[in-house]
């Protein structure tokens, strides 16, 4: 059986659009490291045509919460402290670590 090229599964061969230096929804000036673009693993055309957005516009449009660097660092610290608290056999020491964890969790 001969495979016809127009029947073969096609993938997007287009490049992503060039970043213009601003959010395409609100127009706020952005650095390329602060721009977010939606990626779709199964459809390259969607990824290639997705707009470059700032954090707040991306979260609003796609309904996701992007953790900030501080939230990411806080989560890692709480994870490490949780493992550290499990290593203590004494209840008093574990209580101290758990109070520290609650303090860190409640701060912004």
């Amino acid at each position: 059986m001969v495979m016809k090229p127009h029947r073969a599964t096609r993938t997007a061969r287009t490049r992503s659009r060039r970043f213009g230096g601003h959010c395409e929804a609100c127009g706020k000036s952005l650095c390329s490291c602060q721009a977010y673009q939606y990626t779709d693993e199964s459809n390259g055309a969607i990824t290639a045509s997705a707009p470059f957005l700032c954090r707040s516009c991306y979260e609003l449009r796609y309904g996701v919460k992007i953790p900030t660097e501080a939230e990411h660092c806080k989560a890692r610290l709480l994870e490490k402290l949780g493992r550290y608290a499990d290593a203590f056999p004494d209840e008093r020491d574990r209580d101290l670590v758990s109070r520290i964890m609650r303090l860190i969790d409640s701060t912004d």
Side-chain angles (χ1 to χ4, degrees):
M1 185 168 117
V2 176
M3 180 73 107
K4 296 181 181 181
H6 65 279
R7 298 266 185 193
T9 303
R10 296 181 186 168
T11 59
R13 294 194 175 120
T14 59
R15 294 172 164 183
S16 295
R17 294 178 305 115
R18 181 177 246 175
F19 177 59
H22 63 278
C23 173
E24 294 178 16
C26 67
K28 183 169 73 171
S29 180
L30 291 174
C31 175
S32 63
C33 64
Q34 296 174 335
Y36 295 90
Q37 187 179 26
Y38 180 76
T39 53
D40 189 340
E41 304 87 29
S42 61
N43 192 341
I46 292 174
T47 302
S49 63
F52 291 97
L53 303 170
C54 64
R55 177 191 304 267
S56 58
C57 291
Y58 186 90
E59 289 175 345
L60 183 66
R61 183 171 187 165
Y62 296 109
V64 295
K65 172 72 172 109
I66 301 171
T68 63
E69 188 176 339
E71 291 169 341
H72 181 68
C73 186
K74 187 167 136 178
R76 285 182 52 212
L77 179 61
L78 288 172
E79 178 186 339
K80 295 282 184 184
L81 281 172
R83 279 194 247 140
Y84 189 65
D86 292 339
F88 281 116
D90 187 18
E91 184 66 34
R92 185 174 154 206
D93 294 333
R94 274 187 281 182
D95 183 51
L96 174 64
V97 174
S98 67
R99 283 189 281 149
I100 292 171
M101 288 174 63
R102 281 195 305 265
L103 176 67
I104 292 171
D105 194 33
S106 66
T107 58
D108 287 334

